[in-house]
Amino acid sequence: MLYEAAAVAESMRTLGKEKALSLPVNRKYVEEWGRSGDAGVIAVDQMDRPLGAAWYRLHPEEAPGYGFVSPTIPELTIGVRADARGQGIGHALLQALIALAQNQGYTALSLSVDRNNPARHLYERFGFCDAEVSDKEDTSVTMIKQWAA
């Protein structure tokens, strides 16, 4: 699902799945999975085939992710198979991941999204807003959703 998340960028699609997933900027979202701060949810169909996944992890200041805000705020990644988009799967995954983060005691989640990606509207409906850390000229924006502790 990492490729589904990364391949929204034309540059990643051009590279192809294997090459895109080998890039350190992408590997950091799944490498050594299971470390402290890692959590995720998966959506499957009736045959238990994955339709999408959403996960978060903490990144250190010296090795931030695209949507980095703080080393104590997990950054989320979400990917839905292209043939499963527009069916509410992203909505369900995001809802479950936010609930998981709240249950684990986090007070916020961050993410990075291309300014023209339709998923940005989904994030805004869930209360994510511009974290004011992205340059206005960047093609993507870092967003944050905060809630009471």
Side-chain angles (χ1 to χ4, degrees), residues 29-101:
Y29 289 94
V30 293
E31 220 167 37
E32 298 175 15
W33 182 260
R35 65 186 195 198
S36 180
D38 289 350
V41 293
I42 300 172
V44 296
D45 65 13
Q46 297 90 337
M47 304 296 289
D48 282 335
R49 293 177 299 217
L51 298 171
W55 64 97
Y56 58 73
R57 75 181 338 186
L58 297 169
H59 294 285
E61 255 182 269
E62 62 274 6
Y66 288 117
F68 180 83
V69 173
S70 160
T72 61
I73 297 175
E75 179 185 349
L76 79 84
T77 305
I78 187 167
V80 176
R81 278 189 353 215
D83 64 332
R85 292 182 189 146
Q87 300 175 30
I89 294 166
H91 182 278
L93 288 166
L94 192 53
Q95 188 172 30
L97 197 66
I98 290 168
L100 181 58

Side-chain angles (χ1 to χ4, degrees), residues 8 20 44 48-49 60-61 64 72 82 84 96 99 103 105-106 117 128 138 143 145:
V8 296
V44 296
D48 282 335
R49 293 177 299 217
E61 255 182 269
T72 61
N103 288 339
Y106 292 108
N117 186 332
F128 282 85
D138 286 348
M143 301 180 81
K145 175 180 175 60

Side-chain angles (χ1 to χ4, degrees), residues 79-147:
V80 176
R81 278 189 353 215
D83 64 332
R85 292 182 189 146
Q87 300 175 30
I89 294 166
H91 182 278
L93 288 166
L94 192 53
Q95 188 172 30
L97 197 66
I98 290 168
L100 181 58
Q102 290 171 331
N103 288 339
Q104 291 186 338
Y106 292 108
T107 59
L109 284 173
S110 69
L111 60 87
S112 176
V113 63
D114 187 284
R115 293 181 189 276
N116 297 316
N117 186 332
R120 182 175 177 186
H121 301 294
L122 171 67
Y123 303 137
E124 289 169 343
R125 285 194 305 273
F126 270 89
F128 282 85
C129 60
D130 190 333
E132 303 294 332
V133 297
S134 305
D135 188 310
K136 300 293 183 204
E137 303 303 314
D138 286 348
T139 58
S140 62
V141 60
T142 297
M143 301 180 81
I144 189 167
K145 175 180 175 60
Q146 297 177 294
W147 52 86

